Amino acid sequence: MQKLKLIELNPDLELCKIFYKNCIDANKGRYSEILGFLERFKKNIDNLTEKETVFINNKLFDKEFKFYNLQNEQGDLLLPIVYTSEQPLQNDNLVCFSKFDEDQQYDLIETNGQILYNNARDISLFANNIIFIQDQDLNQKLYQYDLVLSKLLLITVLEKNKLYSEFTFSENRLYVDNGYYNENLEPIPPFCFDNGKDFSEGLAAVSLNGKWGYINTYGEVVIDFQFGYASSFKNGQAEVLILDSKFQQPKGVWIEKECHSTSESLKLNFPKKHSIPLSSVRKKVLSASELIQQYCNFSLVVKNDNSLKAYGCLASINIEGKVINKLECHGQTILNEDVINENCNINDWLEKITRDSNMINFIPDELYVNKQFIKQAIQINLSTFYYLSEFYSDDEEICDVAFKIDSKFSYPLFSERLKEKYKDLFECETDEIELDTSNIALKDQEDDSDLPF
C-alpha cells in the first residue's frame, strides 16, 4: 500500500474559498455564517479578497485554524478541502480527520487516501486494530481493521446508547457486552452475561442475574454465581463479597467496587426492572426511589470505603472457589434517598465542574434535569454547554444563558429552530466586534475598501 504524506495547510485565499464552498454545498459547519458574510460583503466566494477571508476566519474559527490532507510524491492533494483537525491514532496506516470545523464529524481514512468510514460521531482505536465507531444516530459497532484486505471487518453490533471505555484483550480474550471473543475475534459461547472482567490465570469474573462467578477460557462455569462482588485472580487468589443470607436468593444484588489511587468507591447496580436508555431518562424528572425501582443499571456511588457490612463480608478464595480467609467489613451501606442526595450535592458538583467541564457527564440524573443547576454550571464553566447541548440545544432558557456569555461559542450548538430565532441577534453581535488587526499578517489592511469596517 502506497503511503501518502500527512500535511497541515495554512488557510490561504484559494484554500479558504474551496472550504467555504464545500461547507455551503454540504450545509455543514459555519455555512450559514459564511453566507451571512457574503451577503454583507455583497460578493460571491470567487471575488473574496485575502483580507476578507482572514476577517471571516478570525470571526468564525480558532487562531489555530488549519486544513489537513494527504499528499502524494507529486505534491497533489488526495482529499477534499474539508478537514480541519486530526484525531491521533496509534496506527501508521490510518488517520482520523474531523471536517467542517465540527467535533463530531469524523472520517476514518487509510494513508493511501481511501476513506474507510464516513461521517462518524466518534472513532476510537484499540490494540489489535480493534476500532469502535459510533454513527450520527448513536448506533455503535466494533470493527477490526484488516490491512491486507484494506477494509473494516465487523466484529459485532454494540448496544445503542451504552457507554464503552476500553476494548482490550486479556489472555487472548476480549469481553464485549454479553460474552467473550478469542484472539481470532471468534465468539466463544455462551453470550449471556451481564458483565465480565479480564481473564487472569485462566479465569474471568462474570456476572449473571446480579451475582458474580467465574468461567474458564472455554466459557465453562467453574465457580458458581454466588458473590456480590468478584475481582480478578492474582497469585492464585481473588477477593469476593460473600453475600448475607437475605441476599442469597434475590436477583440483582451486584456490587461493583472500583479503586481510584488510594481512595476506594463502590457502585451498586440495581435489578433490571426496565430497559430504559440513558438518553430518555435524562429528560424525565424521577425521584431517587423511582430511579432505584425503574432505572436499568443505575449506579449509586457510595463514598464510605468498605461499606459492605449491610451485604455480607469480603473474603479471599482460591481457584477452586474455596474460602481462604474472611475480611471484616467496616461501616454500613444505607440504601435510601439520603445517600443519593449526598451524591447530588450541588456545591460539590459545581466545584468539580469549575475544575473540569467534562465532569458534567457524570452528574446524577436528578441534577441533569435541574435547570437551575444547569444554568449555574454553564455560568461557571461555559465549556459544559458543549456536553449539554445534545439534550438542551432546543431549550430556550438554557441556550439563552449560554448565548449571553459567549454567542460565538454557543450559537453553533443550538438547534436549527433556535439558530433561526437567534440569527439576527448573532449577526448583529458579530457586526459590533471590531477586527483584531494584530492577528492579521497583512500590510496596509486599513486601506482595503473591500473590508466592512
Side-chain angles (χ1 to χ4, degrees):
M1 179 173 69
Q2 179 188 3
K3 293 184 180 179
L4 305 175
K5 181 181 179 182
L6 190 157
I7 61 171
E8 297 180 6
L9 301 167
N10 291 320
D12 63 24
L13 176 62
E14 294 307 316
L15 290 178
C16 285
K17 288 180 180 180
I18 298 173
F19 178 69
Y20 297 162
K21 288 179 180 179
N22 289 336
C23 288
I24 293 171
D25 290 343
N27 285 350
K28 295 291 186 179
R30 304 296 184 87
Y31 76 95
S32 60
E33 293 95 322
I34 294 171
L35 287 172
F37 280 116
L38 294 176
E39 184 178 347
R40 288 173 53 199
F41 297 164
K42 298 186 177 355
K43 287 187 174 183
N44 58 39
I45 290 178
D46 292 331
N47 296 329
L48 287 175
T49 66
E50 186 171 4
K51 293 179 181 179
E52 288 168 334
T53 61
V54 171
F55 179 84
I56 294 174
N57 292 344
N58 282 345
K59 297 297 183 182
L60 300 183
F61 308 114
D62 294 333
K63 294 180 181 179
E64 306 301 324
F65 180 59
K66 293 181 180 179
F67 300 117
Y68 290 78
N69 216 298
L70 295 175
Q71 187 180 58
N72 62 19
E73 294 179 354
Q74 291 73 38
D76 302 320
L77 299 180
L78 274 295
L79 300 175
I81 306 299
V82 294
Y83 300 109
T84 53
S85 68
E86 178 196 10
Q87 177 176 308
L89 299 177
Q90 300 301 317
N91 190 309
D92 294 336
N93 299 302
L94 297 172
V95 293
C96 181
F97 294 144
S98 66
K99 50 192 177 182
F100 303 116
D101 197 48
E102 294 184 355
D103 289 329
Q104 296 178 338
Q105 286 281 340
Y106 294 105
D107 285 358
L108 182 66
I109 307 169
E110 282 189 302
T111 49
N112 64 358
Q114 178 184 348
I115 297 178
L116 295 175
Y117 199 98
N118 188 39
N119 287 339
R121 190 174 187 271
D122 186 23
I123 296 177
S124 298
L125 176 68
F126 300 93
N128 299 76
N129 285 331
I130 294 174
I131 299 176
F132 166 85
I133 297 180
Q134 181 187 67
D135 66 21
Q136 296 299 325
D137 295 322
L138 302 183
N139 299 306
Q140 305 181 134
K141 295 180 181 180
L142 202 63
Y143 296 89
Q144 185 179 41
Y145 168 60
D146 191 309
L147 176 61
V148 177
L149 298 177
S150 189
K151 63 186 298 186
L152 296 178
L153 304 178
L154 179 66
I155 300 174
T156 185
V157 177
L158 301 171
E159 183 178 337
K160 188 174 183 178
N161 286 340
K162 183 176 179 180
L163 295 177
Y164 293 90
S165 55
E166 294 288 331
F167 294 98
T168 55
F169 278 86
S170 58
E171 299 187 358
N172 294 322
R173 295 294 183 268
L174 170 70
Y175 181 81
V176 181
D177 280 340
N178 304 117
Y180 291 86
Y181 292 78
N182 63 20
E183 63 271 23
N184 298 319
L185 293 173
E186 301 166 335
I188 306 172
F191 272 71
C192 60
F193 305 119
D194 299 325
N195 198 2
K197 299 187 177 181
D198 289 347
F199 269 89
S200 177
E201 302 183 11
L203 300 178
V206 291
S207 67
L208 182 64
N209 292 329
K211 300 292 193 301
W212 287 89
Y214 291 85
I215 62 171
N216 60 21
T217 54
Y218 299 102
E220 302 168 338
V221 177
V222 294
I223 301 177
D224 200 12
F225 299 96
Q226 56 188 294
F227 307 114
Y229 162 79
S231 68
S232 298
F233 274 92
K234 185 177 181 180
N235 298 325
Q237 296 185 19
E239 186 183 77
V240 297
L241 176 68
I242 299 177
L243 292 168
D244 188 74
S245 58
K246 63 183 177 181
F247 295 117
Q248 290 292 339
Q249 297 303 321
K251 295 180 179 180
V253 183
W254 167 7
I255 301 176
E256 180 65 54
K257 184 169 68 170
E258 295 183 349
C259 295
H260 305 281
S261 63
T262 57
S263 63
E264 185 180 84
S265 65
L266 300 176
K267 288 185 178 180
L268 310 183
N269 295 268
F270 295 94
K272 295 184 176 180
K273 298 290 186 181
H274 302 285
S275 183
I276 305 176
L278 179 63
S279 58
S280 61
V281 174
R282 283 299 199 192
K283 295 186 177 182
K284 294 180 179 179
V285 181
L286 299 177
S287 67
S289 58
E290 286 175 326
L291 281 169
I292 291 177
Q293 293 173 5
Q294 298 182 21
Y295 186 53
C296 173
N297 288 337
F298 174 68
S299 294
L300 172 63
V301 178
V302 180
K303 293 184 178 180
N304 297 328
D305 293 347
N306 298 322
S307 50
L308 298 171
K309 188 175 182 180
Y311 295 95
C313 66
L314 288 172
S316 294
I317 60 171
N318 60 21
I319 57 175
E320 297 176 350
K322 294 182 179 180
V323 176
I324 300 174
N325 59 67
K326 292 185 177 181
L327 307 174
E328 183 179 357
C329 296
H330 301 283
Q332 186 174 2
T333 302
I334 303 174
L335 276 180
N336 57 27
E337 297 193 13
D338 292 336
V339 178
I340 296 179
N341 290 335
E342 181 182 4
N343 292 316
C344 294
N345 186 289
I346 291 179
N347 291 330
D348 287 348
W349 280 107
L350 289 176
E351 183 178 346
K352 294 176 182 178
I353 291 167
T354 302
R355 297 193 299 266
D356 182 3
S357 61
N358 187 52
M359 291 302 298
I360 197 73
N361 291 314
F362 303 99
I363 62 174
D365 288 271
E366 294 97 319
L367 291 184
Y368 210 98
V369 295
N370 184 331
K371 286 191 177 182
Q372 187 61 35
F373 170 80
I374 295 299
K375 287 190 285 187
Q376 287 181 270
I378 293 173
Q379 288 169 344
I380 64 173
N381 193 334
L382 180 61
S383 297
T384 57
F385 185 66
Y386 169 79
Y387 300 103
L388 295 165
S389 60
E390 182 178 350
F391 303 99
Y392 283 104
S393 63
D394 198 51
D395 189 299
E396 205 164 318
E397 183 180 352
I398 299 299
C399 288
D400 188 64
V401 173
F403 187 85
K404 289 178 179 177
I405 298 174
D406 189 336
S407 58
K408 180 181 175 182
F409 172 83
S410 58
Y411 180 79
L413 301 173
F414 287 6
S415 66
E416 292 303 319
R417 181 184 71 87
L418 289 184
K419 276 185 178 179
E420 186 63 30
K421 179 173 181 177
Y422 282 81
K423 180 179 178 181
D424 292 340
L425 183 58
F426 176 74
E427 292 179 350
C428 179
E429 289 195 3
T430 305
D431 290 341
E432 293 175 355
I433 300 175
E434 293 184 359
L435 178 64
D436 183 0
T437 58
S438 63
N439 292 328
I440 303 179
L442 299 172
K443 295 181 180 180
D444 303 322
Q445 54 194 348
E446 58 271 35
D447 297 329
D448 193 327
S449 59
D450 290 331
L451 286 177
F453 50 83

